[in-house]
Amino acid sequence: MGKKLVMAQKRGETRALCLGVTMVVCAAITYYILGTTVLPLYQKSVWTQESTCHLIEANVKDHDELEGKKVPRYPCLWVNVSVVGQWAMLYHTEDTQDQNQQCSYIPSNLDNYQMALADVEKVRANFHEHQAFYCFSAPQVETSVVYRRLYGPQTLLFSFFWPTFLLTGGLLIIAMVKLNRSLSILAAQR
């Protein structure tokens, strides 16, 4: 009876140890992936100064009113703000400026024009309701500001939370198995 109990205990310990090691390895892989994708985006983000923006104007422009070769086929919200006494173009996120420099906000549903227009009008109404709001500016870029940072410290914290939780859990499981083994050896010696 005692031998069966010891064998079952060893199998359980081995399984728990494998679980802990697997959790640590998965956390290390996740840290590597996040370190090569999210961390460089955070480091390259120049939108670090939080400022107060005051709305100057917010207009919805149709694709016929915009200039340029890359004319979007969706309604375009164009927002001008005043930051520290200077005029600036407001962009919703850091990626909005890369997608279309003429639009401050690009609606999420681009397939249905009427739904996109309703979405843009809703955002425009929010800007008119809240004339002053926080925005992010960059010291090098004086003519544009960002409403919401995609790659800020909060995003970095959320990205690294679960891998840290996984690593801590795996290390605790390994430590508990090792502690259990040493306590069982001490108990067997008595």
Side-chain angles (χ1 to χ4, degrees):
M1 181 75 177
K3 191 172 186 177
K4 287 183 181 179
L5 182 63
V6 169
M7 292 301 290
Q9 186 177 4
K10 282 192 174 206
R11 274 191 301 231
E13 285 179 353
T14 305
R15 288 177 182 161
L17 196 60
C18 287
L19 174 67
V21 169
T22 303
M23 288 172 70
V24 169
V25 168
C26 286
I29 291 170
T30 308
Y31 276 131
Y32 174 75
I33 291 170
L34 290 174
T36 57
T37 56
V38 175
L39 194 59
L41 293 173
Y42 172 73
Q43 290 173 335
K44 289 178 187 175
S45 179
V46 296
W47 309 98
T48 55
Q49 293 180 343
E50 188 170 348
S51 307
T52 302
C53 290
H54 299 281
L55 182 70
I56 295 174
E57 66 176 318
N59 295 324
V60 178
K61 295 190 174 189
D62 205 8
H63 64 272
D64 298 330
E65 299 174 34
L66 296 173
E67 303 166 1
K69 295 176 183 174
K70 279 182 97 175
V71 177
R73 296 290 174 209
Y74 49 84
C76 178
L77 180 63
W78 191 68
V79 180
N80 286 328
V81 293
S82 171
V83 183
V84 194
Q86 289 186 328
W87 171 89
M89 173 86 170
L90 177 74
Y91 293 101
H92 184 239
T93 63
E94 296 151 300
D95 291 344
T96 307
Q97 187 175 11
D98 297 332
Q99 292 174 354
N100 187 347
Q101 291 188 350
Q102 296 177 350
C103 292
S104 295
Y105 174 76
I106 298 173
S108 57
N109 187 3
L110 300 177
D111 297 333
N112 187 340
Y113 187 84
Q114 295 303 320
M115 287 180 69
L117 183 62
D119 187 22
V120 168
E121 287 291 341
K122 180 179 168 185
V123 172
R124 180 177 168 260
N126 283 340
F127 277 122
H128 280 293
E129 186 177 321
H130 306 287
Q131 296 279 322
F133 49 88
Y134 289 109
C135 60
F136 296 96
S137 59
Q140 303 88 355
V141 185
E142 296 177 0
T143 59
S144 58
V145 293
V146 173
Y147 181 68
R148 187 174 64 91
R149 287 181 68 186
L150 286 178
Y151 313 111
Q154 190 175 20
T155 304
L156 202 62
L157 179 70
F158 288 147
S159 298
F160 282 100
F161 173 75
W162 286 110
T164 304
F165 187 71
L166 194 64
L167 178 69
T168 306
L171 291 175
L172 281 174
I173 289 174
I174 292 171
M176 286 179 7
V177 168
K178 294 292 184 182
L179 180 68
N180 186 30
R181 278 188 185 170
S182 60
L183 289 176
S184 65
I185 290 172
L186 284 174
Q189 288 176 352
R190 288 186 177 191

